[in-house]
Structure formats: structure tokens, C-alpha cells
Amino acid sequence: MRTRIVHAARVSSTQDMAREMMPRELGTVIVADVQEKGRGRRGHVWLSPRGGLYASIILRSDPLLSLRVGAAVARALQQAGIVARLKWPNDVLVAGKKIAGILIEVADGTAIVGIGVNMDSAPLSEVTCIVSETRMPITRDELLHSILQEIEITYEEDIIEAYRVLCATLGRRVRVSIAAGKEVTGIALGIDRDGHLLVDDGEATRTIIGGDCVHLGTGV
Ligand code: BTN
């Protein structure tokens, strides 16, 4: 994939900037120093002070994209000396604390993949950042290039197998919110070939297509 990186000093959200681009060329990456209205999954705010990595990449939409990008970000962080694992589907954690998040939005058939990584500060007490987790120096742009390379690699491998290796959810007791007021609680048994989470709730194995997952008990 040929990439073209567009840098912006301050934006509302790199997601919006990508959405407004016409034509929206595959491989375009928008990276901003500051976002005034960074957003996360499920309507959350993504605090985006100077010093973090905030990027949106225009990619072909694909059902496994969410796992693909999660795996790529986790591996790029591992190369920087960080013990990064994934909470299904694609929250990137270090010892249970979130270090990076991914938001995928689809516009006219193309995916806008937003990646936020806390680099030199953790904007909330329950999250962490790169400088707290490694002494290996890495710049924002080096990390971005490493993530882009890792995304490419995921198209040449068995992404489900690669994802399972990185996934801290497997074997854990979890609670997954799947719709308003609807939750599944049980043991995360596996990830199927479509990237869905399999949870044993004591009565049956439930196949979960999407939702917000919480790891219960101790562990990563
Ligand atoms: C999440 O874990 O909730 C997803 C967070 C995604 C944040 C990134 S930062 C770059 C891009 N622009 C945004 O407004 N959001 C994504």
C-alpha cells in the first residue's frame, strides 16, 4: 500500500478531516498534533493534548480490519519495548491500563481508521502512556511508520491466528455489553474465523459480534 501522510497542527478530529477529503484516496494518513474534539468508540471523548499520536488512515473496508489494526498497533508498541496486549476487539492495554484506542468509521464504502496512542502523558488516571512503560525512545512519527508497516504485514498472514496470540481477553472472565441493557457474562473461550468473541455464559457458547468488553477479576 502506498501511503501519503498529511500533517495538520490542530484539527477538530482527524476522522472528520479524513471524511471531508475528496477524493478519499486509499493509503492517505492524516496526523495531527492536537485534536480539539477527538472522539472514541461509543460516543466517548478522546482527550488529545499535544504529545500524543492522533492519526486517521483511509483503508479499504474489511470485516477483519478492526482486529488487523489492533494487532498492528500492539505489535508496533511491543517493538518499542512495551508489553502491549489486546482487549477484544481492539483496545490496546498494558497491565490492564489502556495505552491506545482504535475507532473505525465507514464513509461511502471506505474505512476511516482512527488511532490514538498516549505517548508522553496519560490524560486519565486509569490509562497509561509510552513514557511510563518503556525507556526505549520512540518518536510519534517512528511509531506511526511502524504501525503502518505492521498493518501491511497483517494482509500477508493469518490475522486471526496473529490476533489470538496478542489477545488478553482469551481465557478471562468477561462482561460484554452488546446492546442497551443487554450483557453477556462468562468465560471468553475463543475468537472465531470472523473475529467474533465466543463466550461461555454457563448455559451456552454465545457468539458476540460487537460490544464493549470488560475484563473481570485479576490479570492483564
Ligand atoms: C477508543 O478507544 O475509544 C478509540 C479512540 C480513537 C481515537 C483516535 S485519535 C485519532 C482519531 N481521531 C479521533 O477523533 N479519534 C481517533
Side-chain angles (χ1 to χ4, degrees):
M1 175 180 61
R2 271 178 44 148
T3 52
R4 179 175 74 103
I5 299 186
V6 178
H7 174 258
R10 179 178 286 269
V11 293
S12 159
S13 157
T14 54
Q15 293 294 98
D16 294 335
M17 195 167 156
R19 193 178 281 268
E20 283 155 17
M21 281 194 138
M22 282 300 162
R24 213 177 289 120
E25 275 173 36
L26 297 178
T28 303
V29 183
I30 293 159
V31 57
D33 299 339
V34 174
Q35 295 188 118
E36 285 167 351
K37 286 196 179 151
R39 60 176 178 269
R41 292 171 66 218
R42 296 177 192 277
H44 292 138
V45 169
W46 187 263
L47 294 172
S48 311
R50 188 174 300 281
L53 166 60
Y54 315 112
S56 294
I57 313 167
I58 299 172
L59 290 172
R60 201 179 300 284
S61 185
D62 135 27
L64 297 178
L65 194 55
S66 158
L67 304 195
R68 214 179 267 302
V69 178
V73 174
R75 285 201 299 229
L77 290 170
Q78 288 182 352
Q79 282 158 23
I82 296 169
V83 189
R85 307 282 311 277
L86 291 162
K87 176 163 74 71
W88 183 87
N90 61 15
D91 279 340
V92 189
L93 307 182
V94 182
K97 289 189 163 187
K98 186 154 164 172
I99 192 165
I102 294 155
L103 170 70
I104 300 183
E105 298 173 329
V106 176
D108 311 319
T110 53
I112 302 174
V113 177
I115 301 172
V117 184
N118 302 327
M119 297 213 51
D120 63 2
S121 68
L124 298 168
S125 58
E126 65 274 20
V127 305
T128 190
C129 64
I130 290 187
V131 296
S132 304
E133 302 295 341
T134 181
R135 293 204 174 155
M136 222 183 254
I138 184 160
T139 65
R140 176 192 72 180
D141 292 348
E142 284 165 350
L143 180 62
L144 177 61
H145 280 103
S146 172
I147 291 170
L148 293 172
Q149 257 175 13
E150 288 293 335
I151 291 176
E152 294 248 347
I153 292 171
T154 68
Y155 290 97
E156 289 153 20
E157 66 184 345
D158 180 338
I159 181 56
I160 297 294
E161 266 315 305
Y163 180 89
R164 285 179 183 139
V165 171
L166 295 161
C167 184
T169 303
L170 296 181
R172 296 286 308 259
R173 190 165 168 75
V174 295
R175 185 176 62 241
V176 192
S177 311
I178 51 176
K182 209 161 169 221
E183 292 180 349
V184 174
T185 301
I187 305 295
L189 296 180
I191 307 287
D192 72 12
R193 296 298 308 169
D194 296 318
H196 302 153
L197 183 66
L198 305 174
V199 176
D200 177 356
D201 71 355
E203 285 180 1
T205 300
R206 312 281 174 198
T207 300
I208 302 182
I209 295 170
D212 240 359
C213 173
V214 176
H215 289 171
L216 303 172
T218 53
V220 183

